[in-house]
Amino acid sequence: MVSLASMHPQPTGHQFQKYPTDLPSLSADQERFSKFDRRLSKPVIGYDGKIYACSDKDLFAFQSNGSIFWTIRLNYTCNADRAPISGGNEKIYVVAENRILKINLLNIGTSQPAAEVFLGLQPGKEGNGEIIGLSASTLVSSIFINIKGRGLFAYTTLGKLLWSAGPVIDQFGYRQGCRKNATDCYFTSVPVIDQCEASIYISNTEGELYSLSVRSPQFKWIQDLSSLDKVFTITPGNNGRLYVVVPVKALLLALDISSGNVLWQGSIGPLAAADSAPVVDCNGNITFL
């Protein structure tokens, strides 16, 4: 661990199974998974403190000691490279095949279906493409979905489309976004929410970083980082700063959230993975795990 101080709707059906809460260790759960030779998706910590991850067609809730609290069966195979997201109000969202499933935690163990299709992409319909990533904002009760080649879509938690945005707009006779390649350019990252600033950050295939409002598809600013690389990770500091990691150069940048200007950059040494991203605490201290 490296620590840096602040540098300048359609039901799917489910099966419910309750597990003992006093399992002795994580090894018992690991043994259970080894029988099926499956791997867990990236995890997410819910508002209730439990850890959620999926594997194949199952969604698991883990307690802090690693024991399985419950599991539900989904009708679709989840994407192990996409972590579930916590949507507030006892909701978890999961990317499964070409769908987004909404899990109502209050329905776990009841006669009501716990999982339903929140968004299903069908051939010939709007948004037909790969789901690159999604995020949720409890501030505006909205879900933001990046669909490859289609754009960024904002939905209410009830499934109503609010707005959509592509990587290029023409405003006052000037084109904004994808300045170097308008043909094959599209949003390529998971939308990242800055809850304090009500902003969305997302990057495109050409190394440009965008800031948008959670309430409308207007661009606040676009910062071209392609001179460093076209691939980077984005972490909101919720402190007036946006932190960008450029893995290929092992660089950490701090951007001003109001303008997108680079305030400072520094070397952070070798990274454990290409998608390494820092954790920023309330004091602005930055930690790499």
Side-chain angles (χ1 to χ4, degrees):
M1 177 163 58
V2 179
S3 179
L4 306 173
S6 284
M7 302 170 61
H8 282 106
Q10 174 184 345
T12 66
H14 71 284
Q15 297 176 354
F16 172 76
Q17 186 174 358
K18 186 68 181 291
Y19 285 86
T21 59
D22 57 349
L23 293 180
S25 68
L26 181 62
S27 61
D29 297 326
Q30 292 172 334
E31 181 180 354
R32 177 174 179 271
F33 283 116
S34 66
K35 294 178 181 179
F36 300 98
D37 192 26
R38 302 186 309 186
R39 71 183 182 98
L40 285 171
S41 71
K42 295 179 179 180
V44 67
I45 299 176
Y47 289 94
D48 56 3
K50 294 183 177 60
I51 302 167
Y52 297 92
C54 65
S55 177
D56 195 47
K57 294 184 178 181
D58 293 318
L59 176 67
F60 296 89
F62 295 90
Q63 299 194 101
S64 58
N65 65 358
S67 62
I68 299 174
F69 186 61
W70 54 251
T71 179
I72 61 171
R73 185 70 172 173
L74 308 173
N75 284 346
Y76 306 98
T77 303
C78 66
N79 187 329
D81 295 324
R82 304 280 182 258
I85 67 166
S86 180
N89 296 321
E90 304 294 335
K91 301 293 191 303
I92 297 291
Y93 295 86
V94 177
V95 177
E97 298 178 20
N98 61 335
R99 297 167 175 83
I100 295 174
L101 306 181
K102 179 169 70 173
I103 316 301
N104 188 338
L105 301 182
L106 296 178
N107 289 347
I108 300 292
T110 72
S111 60
Q112 299 297 315
E116 64 177 334
V117 175
F118 178 79
L119 177 68
L121 306 183
Q122 301 298 330
K125 298 294 183 64
E126 178 188 17
N128 179 31
E130 175 190 353
I131 299 172
I132 294 178
L134 69 156
S135 298
S137 170
T138 55
L139 178 67
V140 292
S141 299
S142 299
I143 307 298
F144 303 95
I145 306 166
N146 180 15
I147 302 175
K148 183 177 180 179
R150 297 288 180 171
L152 180 65
F153 295 80
Y155 287 85
T156 68
T157 53
L158 297 177
K160 178 184 177 181
L161 178 64
L162 295 172
W163 54 260
S164 62
V168 179
I169 63 170
D170 291 306
Q171 191 171 15
F172 306 117
Y174 294 94
R175 191 182 78 187
Q176 298 182 21
C178 300
R179 288 181 297 174
K180 298 178 181 179
N181 182 358
T183 303
D184 300 318
C185 180
Y186 57 88
F187 291 136
T188 189
S189 68
V190 174
V192 174
I193 309 295
D194 188 326
Q195 303 287 3
C196 292
E197 302 297 331
S199 295
I200 306 169
Y201 306 107
I202 194 168
S203 62
N204 68 18
T205 51
E206 298 304 306
E208 292 175 323
L209 175 61
Y210 298 68
S211 173
L212 300 86
S213 169
V214 296
R215 295 182 174 88
S216 68
Q218 300 300 317
F219 296 165
K220 294 182 176 180
W221 48 258
I222 302 175
Q223 176 63 261
D224 186 357
L225 300 176
S226 61
S227 61
L228 298 174
D229 196 37
K230 294 183 179 181
V231 178
F232 42 81
T233 61
I234 311 161
T235 303
N238 296 307
N239 59 0
R241 300 289 183 267
L242 180 67
Y243 299 98
V244 177
V245 174
V246 185
V248 71
K249 295 183 179 294
L251 282 177
L252 174 65
L253 287 72
L255 278 62
D256 179 81
I257 54 93
S258 62
S259 65
N261 293 332
V262 178
L263 299 175
W264 52 258
Q265 69 180 55
S267 175
I268 50 178
L271 297 172
D275 60 352
S276 293
V279 176
V280 185
D281 68 17
C282 58
N283 296 317
N285 295 319
I286 305 167
T287 301
F288 282 85
L289 301 179

